[in-house]
Amino acid sequence: MNTIIYISAGLMLIFGVYAVMEHSILRAAIGLALSSASLSVLLYVLGAHLAAVFELSVCSGLVTVIFIAGISLSHSPKMEIQKEYRDKERNRQLPLVLIGAGLLLVILALTLQLQTPQLGEVAADQDVRDVLWGNRQADIWGQIALILCGGVAVAVLFREERREKK
Amino acid sequence: MTILSICAHGFVYCPILVVLIYNLFNHEFARKHFIWFAGAGATWQILTSAAGFFVLHQSGQNGYAFGALWDPGLPGSAYFELSGPRFLLLLIVGLVAFVSVLVAHHTVDFNRSSYTNLLMILVLGMNGMLLVTDLFSLYVFMEVTGLCCFIMIAMFRSRADLEGSFKYLILSELSSIFILTAVAFLMMKTGSLRYTDLAGLGSRISAGSGRLEDVLFYAALVLLISGFAIKTGVVPFHSWLPDAYQSADTAVSILLSGAVNKVAGVYGLIVVMELFGDVAPVGKSLAAVGIVSIIIGALLAVRQPHYKRVVAYSSVSQMGYILLALSTGTTLGLVAALAHIFSHTAFKSTLFTNAAALQEQAGTLELQDLGGLENQMPVTAFTSIIAFLSTAGIPPTAGFWSKILIILALWQAGSPVLAAVALIAGILSSAYLIRLQRTVFFGQTRPELAGVKEAHGSVLTAEILLTVITLGLGLLYPYILMLLHAGGIL
Amino acid sequence: MNLVTVLLIIGLLMIFAGCWCLMRTYHLLKITIGIEVAMKAVTLFLVLAGRISGSLALSETFVITVMVAEAIVAVVGTGTAVGLFRKYGSMDVRNLKQLKG
């Protein structure tokens, strides 16, 4: 059990850093999707089964589709975008910085010896659907507003430009 | 159905209803008559927030809890609640939306239907932020508010619009990440995020207990304060604010400065102060951020080349005053902050409405191209003088009284040094305001501006309405002070 | 060093990587990806918090709502980036020089 958690958490971090570091934007989007998939394994093992499904379908699926749509809409024939910016040089220090920060956090955790909480048992009597529909009305209302917002965003932002001659 | 329950449910249902009804009509009709739909939504908001306040006050209850879909009877449920100070902010939301619609009638052309839809969702987002009783729901509605703003800035799709929107999006999402992380850390400690469960958490935690959750609690406080400070746009988190205000269409700038950064930013900090005000560093850090942004904001405002940029930096500076008032943690401090929020809404919206008038009539807002418009635009010049007086805190305007309240609150809370600094920084604000007024309205009329006429129609109405509010509140303040005295706050 | 500490450290590193991406990359879509990377870690924190405090169902509902928000943020970020691409013909952040004071 714990091994799976460690492995999927590690993969999530590695794919996430890959998404940040990767030169090609398409591969970065795929890295993000893989990171998301690792997270959904992690969520499943931690007992959040419904959230794991959502993570896989919404974050790993839908968000990647959105990014790929963005990439294909911004395709430039000369592929000059790739040459123009030099992310690679600026992101080269990131793994070093991350390893440094990680070591620092580990040393802090080892020296401070804080009392850490344990993972509790998954309570059997709670159902996500009951909690969501019974207790979280405000969130549902917020989700409705968010989705309306997203609809307007697609309609307004992705539209071709010819209608807007001032 | 009592009046109170109609008012309360209206805050959540009415914006969505307006969106639904508005989109039933055909496109040309909707585009032509958008002012009636958006105006009706805003007017409803103004009326119900006023009516709801009086009904609640009469009934003697502290608050009125209600659910969006069904009654909040279940244990641990996140419901909406109407209560005293929220009404003022709800009223501000309605008022600013109304003024913005009046201005949009002149400035927005192609995007009218998107503007109406987004305005209503934005109002819903802000109402939601003000009504929820749960930190996570606060985040959800904050995200709604933010997303509406990004789209509203970007939808005009000039280079500047898109750039301002993207900069705002980057910093705003950074603040979202901070706030969500803080929410997760707090949840590790409590297992629930309702305000009632979180209140007084600070007193139950000791710094030296050696437990991880307690360390994370302090981390959460830092993240919450910096997250909401980014949303407020105070120094050192202000870099997005002038860009967003300058690039947005003026009708949207009014929304941003008048309502969004107060509800999404300052109200968040009010909640943080209410929940964790007993942890001393919270108040102190708010005071530090406030005093820095009063001074830096005013100094930066003096040098800006664009009308809206000067006004935006003035906003940074005024937000500093509000944070300073909040930092005291007393009731008088909260009252002073709310009073300044209201007067700031009035005078800052006036200034942006004047910007819309100038943009429409003179065609530019670059300060070097403007000059001597006093005779051509007498009403705009007069309203902007009143707004400047209010900003600088000179009687008999509303700004004077709210600044006095802030200084009194600081004095009462035992920090006379801060009070003195706040007083002296008022001089700085007159510096940039005098520069703005002199370059735009006084002096020789530039030959290319000779044919400029006074603003007309709804923009002029909005200018006059806001000036009447500023002056009227200024004259009414002694009465409000009397009420405060009777209530034992002052 | 137990499980919770390790997961916390991994999450913090990932938030750091996302914020780094927000601040240091030149590509507009990449910046949006950075936001998503940081949000992944936040999702993990929320579920972890639910497991620690024993209210996992509550934190699962939070996670579902956060995901909706995340997807909409991706839409808006990508839309703005595409709009900028149409104006400038490239996705470079350094083009954004219109607004200065």
Side-chain angles (χ1 to χ4, degrees):
Chain A
M1 196 73 156
N2 278 5
T3 332
I4 304 175
I5 293 182
Y6 285 128
I7 290 173
S8 51
L11 280 179
M12 180 180 88
L13 180 62
I14 289 166
F15 284 127
V17 175
Y18 173 77
V20 174
M21 298 268 300
E22 176 51 52
H23 194 52
S24 144
I25 192 73
L26 185 64
R27 280 189 221 136
I30 293 170
L32 180 69
L34 288 174
S35 167
S36 201
S38 319
L39 176 61
S40 82
V41 173
L42 188 55
L43 294 188
Y44 184 81
V45 179
L46 283 172
H49 298 202
L50 200 61
V53 177
F54 270 80
E55 177 70 39
L56 200 60
S57 60
V58 176
C59 288
S60 182
L62 183 62
V63 171
T64 314
V65 171
I66 294 165
F67 279 127
I68 289 174
I71 292 165
S72 64
L73 280 174
S74 62
H75 181 76
S76 138
K78 294 178 219 152
M79 293 305 286
E80 60 192 341
I81 326 159
Q82 307 251 338
K83 286 180 212 148
E84 222 172 81
Y85 67 97
R86 294 269 174 271
D87 275 351
K88 235 179 179 172
E89 279 82 49
R90 275 167 73 89
N91 281 340
R92 198 172 276 161
Q93 308 101 320
L94 179 62
L96 283 178
V97 175
L98 277 183
I99 291 170
L103 277 178
L104 193 71
L105 285 172
V106 168
I107 292 168
L108 261 179
L110 288 178
T111 46
L112 286 179
Q113 288 295 348
L114 293 170
Q115 247 183 306
T116 47
Q118 298 297 318
L119 290 188
E121 286 303 308
V122 182
D125 59 329
Q126 293 173 325
D127 190 351
V128 186
R129 290 160 292 182
D130 291 346
V131 175
L132 184 60
W133 286 103
N135 291 356
R136 311 297 308 178
Q137 303 176 21
D139 291 1
I140 292 174
W141 212 251
Q143 284 191 28
I144 294 172
L146 275 173
I147 288 165
L148 278 176
C149 217
V152 181
V154 172
V156 172
L157 294 177
F158 285 92
R159 187 170 59 196
E160 282 295 327
E161 200 134 349
R162 66 196 135 73
R163 290 181 57 212
E164 278 155 85
K165 285 175 199 136
K166 282 202 175 178
Chain B
M1 285 297 253
T2 59
I3 296 175
L4 195 56
S5 97
I6 293 172
C7 291
H9 285 86
F11 290 126
V12 219
Y13 279 98
C14 175
I16 286 208
L17 264 180
V18 172
V19 170
L20 291 180
I21 295 171
Y22 183 70
N23 287 299
L24 287 179
F25 290 98
N26 82 42
H27 189 74
E28 271 313 302
F29 179 85
R31 217 181 71 77
K32 208 170 173 188
H33 298 285
F34 86 106
I35 191 169
W36 299 110
F37 294 93
T43 316
W44 171 264
Q45 172 100 4
I46 295 174
L47 292 179
T48 49
S49 51
F53 178 73
F54 285 113
V55 173
L56 193 70
H57 192 69
Q58 291 283 311
S59 70
Q61 289 166 295
N62 261 333
Y64 173 76
F66 65 102
L69 304 166
W70 41 81
D71 275 344
L74 298 154
S77 68
Y79 49 87
F80 295 113
E81 188 175 18
L82 272 175
S83 57
R86 271 74 167 164
F87 278 110
L88 187 70
L89 290 163
L90 287 167
L91 180 66
I92 286 175
V93 171
L95 188 69
V96 171
F98 189 72
V99 170
S100 167
V101 172
L102 287 181
V103 172
H105 187 58
H106 281 249
T107 59
V108 182
D109 189 16
F110 279 96
N111 291 304
R112 284 180 170 184
S113 37
S114 315
Y115 170 82
T116 314
N117 288 333
L118 285 169
L119 176 73
M120 282 299 127
I121 305 172
L122 180 66
V123 167
L124 172 66
M126 290 194 283
N127 285 353
M129 277 195 78
L130 296 170
L131 292 172
V132 294
T133 54
D134 179 294
L135 209 53
F136 183 78
S137 309
L138 185 76
Y139 159 77
V140 175
F141 283 105
M142 193 187 81
E143 199 72 73
V144 174
T145 314
L147 285 168
C148 284
C149 292
F150 312 146
I151 307 170
M152 280 179 119
I153 300 171
M155 71 183 177
F156 298 94
R157 295 212 286 188
S158 71
R159 292 187 169 191
D161 291 335
L162 290 163
E163 179 184 338
S165 168
F166 204 81
K167 283 181 178 166
Y168 186 14
L169 185 133
I170 294 174
L171 274 167
S172 208
E173 285 313 310
L174 192 65
S175 90
S176 287
I177 292 166
F178 282 1
I179 289 168
L180 260 185
T181 313
V183 159
F185 285 171
L186 288 174
M187 190 165 164
M188 279 179 200
K189 179 74 188 168
T190 56
S192 157
L193 289 168
R194 281 177 307 155
Y195 295 161
T196 41
D197 295 333
L198 288 174
L201 192 60
S203 56
R204 280 182 268 145
I205 278 178
S206 54
S209 71
R211 294 169 59 89
L212 183 65
E213 300 107 297
D214 296 359
V215 177
L216 290 182
F217 170 75
Y218 284 95
L221 287 186
V222 173
L223 289 169
L224 274 180
I225 291 174
S226 33
F228 285 120
I230 293 175
K231 283 275 184 187
T232 319
V234 283
V235 179
F237 309 106
H238 65 285
S239 60
W240 63 270
L241 187 137
D243 291 349
Y245 284 18
Q246 183 193 342
S247 64
D249 186 89
T250 314
V252 181
S253 300
I254 290 174
L255 282 172
L256 286 175
S257 81
V260 172
N261 80 344
K262 295 187 187 85
V263 174
V266 177
Y267 176 70
L269 290 171
I270 291 178
V271 170
V272 172
M273 268 316 273
E274 270 177 4
L275 297 179
F276 309 116
D278 46 353
V279 186
V282 176
K284 281 182 186 146
S285 48
L286 284 189
V289 170
I291 207 87
V292 169
S293 74
I294 288 174
I295 294 168
I296 307 262
L299 285 177
L300 286 171
V302 177
R303 319 186 31 191
Q304 301 303 318
H306 191 274
Y307 183 97
K308 275 167 136 180
R309 265 188 112 77
V310 179
V311 181
Y313 274 109
S314 143
S315 230
V316 173
S317 172
Q318 300 299 322
M319 286 300 129
Y321 280 102
I322 296 172
L323 292 202
L324 212 52
L326 273 182
S327 73
T328 58
T330 55
T331 316
L332 182 61
L334 182 63
V335 170
L338 288 172
H340 201 60
I341 285 176
F342 197 86
S343 46
H344 180 257
T345 301
F347 63 69
K348 201 48 60 77
S349 305
T350 317
L351 289 178
F352 274 116
T353 315
N354 290 347
L358 286 171
Q359 173 87 55
E360 196 187 2
Q361 303 300 330
T364 179
L365 284 173
E366 297 290 338
L367 289 181
Q368 54 183 356
D369 300 335
L370 292 165
L373 289 169
E374 195 186 13
N375 292 326
Q376 281 105 322
M377 306 179 84
V379 180
T380 309
F382 175 73
T383 51
S384 93
I385 289 175
I386 298 292
F388 289 153
L389 291 180
S390 191
T391 316
I394 294 164
T397 53
F400 168 71
W401 294 103
S402 53
K403 266 189 191 164
I404 287 284
L405 277 179
I406 290 175
I407 287 161
L408 280 177
L410 286 170
W411 196 278
Q412 197 191 47
S415 33
V417 181
L418 287 182
V421 175
L423 202 60
I424 293 164
I427 298 166
L428 271 177
S429 42
S430 3
Y432 62 80
L433 294 167
I434 288 170
R435 167 171 173 260
L436 198 60
Q437 183 74 10
R438 212 184 52 203
T439 41
V440 178
F441 294 108
F442 296 160
Q444 282 290 314
T445 309
R446 299 174 71 94
E448 64 268 26
L449 297 176
V452 171
K453 292 194 186 62
E454 179 57 88
H456 53 84
S458 53
V459 174
L460 195 66
T461 319
E463 280 175 14
I464 294 170
L465 173 75
L466 288 165
T467 310
V468 167
I469 291 175
T470 306
L471 280 176
L473 266 183
L475 298 174
L476 265 178
Y477 251 101
Y479 178 68
I480 296 170
L481 288 181
M482 197 181 79
L483 282 184
L484 287 179
H485 188 66
I489 295 169
L490 200 63
Chain C
M1 290 290 282
N2 64 355
L3 190 64
V4 174
T5 324
V6 172
L7 287 182
L8 269 177
I9 289 175
I10 286 180
L12 285 177
L13 290 181
M14 207 152 155
I15 288 179
F16 187 83
C19 293
W20 174 286
C21 189
L22 277 184
M23 296 302 160
R24 299 267 304 172
T25 41
Y26 288 141
H27 195 289
L28 294 172
L29 276 178
K30 205 65 175 299
I31 289 173
T32 323
I33 288 181
I35 297 170
E36 300 291 320
V37 168
M39 282 295 204
K40 294 276 149 329
V42 175
T43 313
L44 175 61
F45 280 170
L46 279 173
V47 170
L48 205 58
R51 267 304 282 275
I52 290 171
S53 62
S55 44
L56 186 64
L58 188 62
S59 66
E60 262 187 85
T61 63
F62 290 168
V63 167
I64 291 167
T65 316
V66 167
M67 278 168 199
V68 175
E70 219 175 303
I72 310 292
V73 168
V75 169
V76 175
T78 313
T80 318
V82 168
L84 281 167
F85 175 83
R86 284 181 183 148
K87 292 284 174 204
Y88 291 101
S90 104
M91 283 258 186
D92 201 322
V93 166
R94 284 167 294 180
N95 288 328
L96 307 185
K97 285 178 187 158
Q98 293 271 312
L99 303 168
K100 269 196 185 147

